[in-house]
Amino acid sequence: MTSITTAQAPRNVRWILLGVMLAMLLGMLDNMIIGTAMPTIVGELGGLDRLSWVVSAYTLATAASTPIWAKLGDLFGRKNNFLASIAIFLVGSGLSGAAQNMDQLIGFRVLQGIGAGGLAAGAFAIIGELIPPRERAKYMGMTASVMALATIGGPLVGGFVTDHLGWRWAFYLNLPLGLIAFVWCQATLHLTARRPNAKIDYLGAALLTVTISAIVLVATWGGAQYSWGSPQVLTVIAVAVIGLPAFLWSQTRAAEPIIPLNLFASRNFALVSVLSVVAGAAMFGAVSFLPLFQQTVQGASASNSGLLLLPMMVPIIVVSQIAGRVMSKTGRYKVFPIAGGALLTAGSIALATVGTDTSRFMTGVYMALLGAGMGFLMQMTVLIAQNSVEMNDIGAASGVQTLFRTLGGSFGVALFGALFNRQVNGHERLAGMTAGIDSIFTWSAVLCAIGLIAALFIVELPLRQGPPAKAPEAPAKEPVPQP
């Protein structure tokens, strides 16, 4: 009987991945740090009416560029692609720190977000290329740890840097750390080269950028900055409605589509895409609204808001590491998305019952249920997606899952925000706050239950055998289409 563990990760792979994780951390940490510095930035640069765009510009650019970076890595090689994304992120960081007005800052944040789009998708794809699937979950847990560290540490670092060094250092801090990541990856990453004559899908890239930007703006603007019936929201809805079928059509015509539609012919890939949306909505919804409840109703201090999420973030780190090691030993993985969906649903139901008499301890227990569910889900969805596609599409698969998680988060925050505001506006302050949180997590439980149903239909396919680094060479043997 052939063992599925014939392929092994490089002995020094953790050492290699330290540089990759550092770069990924910078991209995830940035918005958390900048959020804390925003009052000081507005105080110096002005432009309060454009405040939200400092965050939105970064988010839009990151979401729109993620699948494009992922596809370029599949075509031209992940190392140079990843190094380019680090370089662009650093240039955007330096320029953002030197901005002299709000318009400049917003423009430079777009550049910074474009670089960040390549960091997360590139990290997942590099792990997929270096490490065989049976071992991969152990290293995917590193990305969960990075995400938790960014969520907890971002507000703390942002507050400290802004108070002691000034808001510009919230951007300048990226430069030495990013340079270390760049040099580290340049020296340690040795990945397979790709086809130098591959064709880039420029039309698909343009349509995808416009469509994703419109979708994120619908989620960001609708019911918050503008009413749902406003010309601004109706315009971006129209762009999204026209852009999505146009993009799908372009993908059927392109020689090298940005998002190969045949990925969704895989049952598992389609199902974990649903799970990525659900996990993103639950994650970003909890991060956005739970600290507000803890501060307003339970009297927690706002000065260390990142620490309020510790009961949720610690289980993410611990559970993802445990799940990865169990999967590496047994080769089984279907149980993890099922457990993740069940725990997310249970945690959401529990949080939907909180009130003014709920203790901080019990709130922490409920948050821990939610965090454990995310620990089972967030990295496992990427791993299952990667195992469901050919090796030459592993970057595109990783990018799609990252994109769906981002879009799920955007729409989750928009939906939950609308529910929250409706309840708060109809009640007194504390009663409205608890009613808003209850409404948010009632609907979160519905979404998570949909994710649980999707998880039940996942088919446990054998994990791919063979050294992962050799598989990407296959496309080079295919005949190159003549222009």
Side-chain angles (χ1 to χ4, degrees):
M1 181 176 177
T2 304
S3 170
I4 62 173
T5 59
T6 53
Q8 298 291 325
R11 286 185 299 174
N12 61 340
V13 69
R14 289 189 184 276
W15 182 255
I16 293 171
L17 290 178
L18 280 177
V20 176
M21 292 297 106
L22 177 57
M24 184 180 180
L25 175 63
L26 292 178
M28 291 184 172
L29 198 63
D30 195 79
N31 257 351
M32 299 292 180
I33 292 178
I34 300 309
T36 310
M38 285 310 300
T40 306
I41 293 174
V42 172
E44 181 174 329
L45 298 183
L48 180 62
D49 58 323
R50 299 186 296 284
L51 173 66
S52 63
W53 276 104
V54 177
V55 174
S56 297
Y58 182 88
T59 304
L60 282 171
T62 301
S65 63
T66 292
I68 298 173
W69 280 112
K71 183 62 179 182
L72 292 176
D74 284 340
L75 293 177
F76 301 111
R78 308 193 202 288
K79 178 177 178 176
N80 289 338
N81 201 57
F82 194 65
L83 293 175
S85 66
I86 296 175
I88 292 173
F89 180 81
L90 294 182
V91 171
S93 297
L95 291 174
S96 295
Q100 299 302 305
N101 55 59
M102 190 62 80
D103 291 335
Q104 287 183 8
L105 179 58
I106 291 169
F108 297 146
R109 288 282 283 167
V110 171
L111 183 62
Q112 195 183 21
I114 290 172
L119 298 180
F124 286 125
I126 288 170
I127 292 174
E129 182 166 337
L130 283 175
I131 304 165
R134 184 151 178 173
E135 293 185 57
R136 196 175 296 158
K138 292 189 297 186
Y139 301 94
M140 287 290 187
M142 294 173 66
T143 64
S145 301
V146 166
M147 185 178 300
L149 180 61
T151 304
I152 296 169
L156 300 176
V157 174
F160 179 84
V161 170
T162 303
D163 290 343
H164 293 84
L165 300 175
W167 69 265
R168 296 183 186 277
W169 279 96
F171 296 105
Y172 291 151
L173 189 65
N174 291 331
L175 301 181
L177 297 177
L179 185 59
I180 292 172
F182 186 95
V183 173
W184 195 300
C185 292
Q186 171 64 37
T188 61
L189 282 178
H190 303 288
L191 302 175
T192 307
R194 296 298 194 274
R195 290 167 287 174
N197 55 352
K199 293 183 177 180
I200 299 175
D201 179 16
Y202 292 106
L203 175 61
L207 289 172
L208 180 65
T209 300
V210 171
T211 302
I212 290 177
S213 298
I215 291 172
V216 174
L217 284 175
V218 170
T220 304
W221 284 352
Q225 189 167 345
Y226 302 103
S227 68
W228 285 103
S230 67
Q232 293 89 343
V233 173
L234 292 177
T235 298
V236 291
I237 289 176
V239 172
V241 168
I242 296 172
L244 182 58
F247 169 71
L248 296 176
W249 171 83
S250 74
Q251 299 306 277
T252 66
R253 311 278 295 180
E256 292 287 355
I258 300 292
I259 299 179
L261 299 184
N262 61 358
L263 296 181
F264 295 93
S266 165
R267 173 175 171 174
N268 279 3
F269 187 89
L271 290 171
V272 296
S273 297
V274 174
L275 283 169
S276 291
V277 172
V278 169
M283 172 78 172
F284 287 96
V287 168
S288 299
F289 294 99
L290 280 175
L292 183 61
F293 171 78
Q294 292 168 295
Q295 293 166 28
T296 305
V297 177
Q298 297 182 328
S301 170
S303 60
N304 293 323
S305 58
L307 297 178
L308 298 178
L309 296 170
L310 273 175
M312 186 173 72
M313 294 302 168
V314 170
I316 291 178
I317 298 172
V318 174
V319 170
S320 63
Q321 296 290 343
I322 293 173
R325 293 186 179 280
V326 171
M327 200 205 77
S328 296
K329 290 182 178 179
T330 65
R332 308 300 294 270
Y333 56 84
K334 181 175 179 177
V335 65
F336 299 124
I338 293 175
L343 286 169
L344 278 181
T345 304
S348 295
I349 291 172
L351 285 167
T353 67
V354 298
T356 54
D357 57 344
T358 305
S359 67
R360 291 191 196 178
F361 174 78
M362 288 310 302
T363 303
V365 172
Y366 302 156
M367 292 171 67
L369 283 175
L370 207 66
M374 292 175 191
F376 279 125
L377 268 185
M378 298 195 71
Q379 314 311 320
M380 201 61 66
T381 54
V382 177
L383 189 149
I384 295 173
Q386 291 178 343
N387 194 56
S388 303
V389 303
E390 298 297 328
M391 280 298 299
N392 57 308
D393 283 330
I394 201 169
S398 304
V400 168
Q401 297 306 314
T402 304
L403 172 64
F404 281 176
R405 186 182 305 162
T406 302
L407 294 179
S410 296
F411 275 99
V413 170
L415 170 64
F416 297 152
L419 293 169
F420 183 81
N421 290 333
R422 181 182 301 173
Q423 294 296 329
V424 169
N425 292 336
H427 298 81
E428 294 181 0
R429 185 178 179 223
L430 292 184
M433 184 67 65
T434 54
I437 291 295
D438 293 349
S439 179
I440 285 172
F441 285 101
T442 297
W443 282 100
S444 176
V446 173
L447 290 176
C448 294
I450 294 172
L452 174 58
I453 293 170
L456 292 172
F457 289 93
I458 288 175
V459 178
E460 195 163 59
L461 302 174
L463 295 172
R464 188 181 290 113
Q465 302 181 39
K470 292 183 180 180
E473 294 176 359
K477 300 177 182 179
E478 297 175 2
V480 178
Q482 297 299 316

